[in-house]
Amino acid sequence: WVLAIFSVYFIGFNMYFSHLTNYFIYSRGFKEGMAGIIIGVGLLCAVPLTLLASRYIDRGRFSIIMYSSVALTVVGLPLLTIAGTAANIIGMVLVGGGYMCIFQSLMILLKNLFPPEKRGQCEGLRCVFYILIPMCIGTPVGSAIIKATGIEIINDLGQTGYSAGPALFFIAAAWTLLSLVPITVYKKLGEKNV
């Protein structure tokens, strides 16, 4: 179930994250430098949330961090669609905080669940559920959403393409809510036993 949480959450993450810079430049009209500042400042400001999360993780309260991470992401993604630099930075703080906290929580939790003598062998499982499955599903789904609902653009090379529109972030937020299912199952199976 922990691996399922990895997959479900990061499928949603892969839908939007690689498209953020293009979204801010082409869909929102920010200059490249400003787009980088919004993303960079947002992610840097999210770091203190991981320090707060670590207090709960040290006590074995992983589910509260995972529920909070989903909430941060689901609230933050729609804020990226609102006009205004401040709203976008706040959205990036929430999205970045959600991402970093759930990643931190799942990595530690999974290492606790691996048999100590076979940790190296089990790392491949994490790579499949955290990287392979989310990239193979989330990335093409995100691209399809952009092609169907995005904004047609002409890039610097004169080529026609598409940039993400608001629909991508709302769909990714809805998908992220599905993470609550494996998180709840994990919690019911006995968080205290980990």
Side-chain angles (χ1 to χ4, degrees):
W1 288 104
V2 172
L3 291 169
I5 298 165
F6 252 124
S7 278
V8 176
Y9 181 90
F10 283 98
I11 286 170
F13 178 82
N14 275 274
M15 284 183 193
Y16 66 85
F17 195 78
S18 62
H19 302 288
L20 281 174
T21 303
N22 282 343
Y23 168 71
F24 284 125
I25 294 170
Y26 293 108
S27 300
R28 300 301 312 281
F30 289 110
K31 299 287 185 196
E32 289 175 15
M34 192 61 195
I37 288 170
I38 291 170
I39 295 169
V41 168
L43 293 176
L44 281 173
C45 290
V47 170
L49 292 172
T50 63
L51 300 175
L52 180 62
S54 66
R55 300 174 124 192
Y56 289 90
I57 291 169
D58 287 343
R59 296 181 199 143
R61 301 196 56 205
F62 296 98
S63 60
I64 193 163
I65 297 303
M66 291 189 283
Y67 283 129
S68 300
S69 296
V70 170
L72 289 171
T73 304
V74 168
V75 172
L77 285 171
L79 286 176
L80 300 179
T81 68
I82 295 173
T85 307
N88 295 158
I89 289 175
I90 292 167
M92 282 306 305
V93 169
L94 297 177
V95 169
Y99 154 72
M100 286 191 266
C101 289
I102 201 164
F103 178 76
Q104 175 185 22
S105 185
L106 289 170
M107 286 295 288
I108 293 168
L109 177 55
L110 204 55
K111 285 186 188 278
N112 290 346
L113 291 171
F114 287 159
E117 69 283 359
K118 294 187 179 179
R119 278 203 176 121
Q121 295 171 349
C122 293
E123 275 299 310
L125 283 171
R126 180 187 65 81
C127 291
V128 168
F129 285 86
Y130 163 56
I131 300 168
L132 180 66
I133 294 172
M135 283 185 75
C136 288
I137 297 173
T139 305
V141 167
S143 295
I145 293 167
I146 291 170
K147 195 164 184 184
T149 66
I151 298 162
E152 191 170 333
I153 61 160
I154 297 174
N155 66 18
D156 296 339
L157 302 172
Q159 299 168 324
T160 302
Y162 293 90
S163 179
L168 176 69
F169 300 99
F170 288 105
I171 293 168
W175 177 271
T176 301
L177 281 173
L178 294 175
S179 306
L180 297 175
V181 174
I183 292 170
T184 302
V185 173
Y186 153 76
K187 189 172 188 294
K188 285 185 178 175
L189 287 174
E191 181 171 49
K192 305 237 185 257
N193 296 328
V194 177

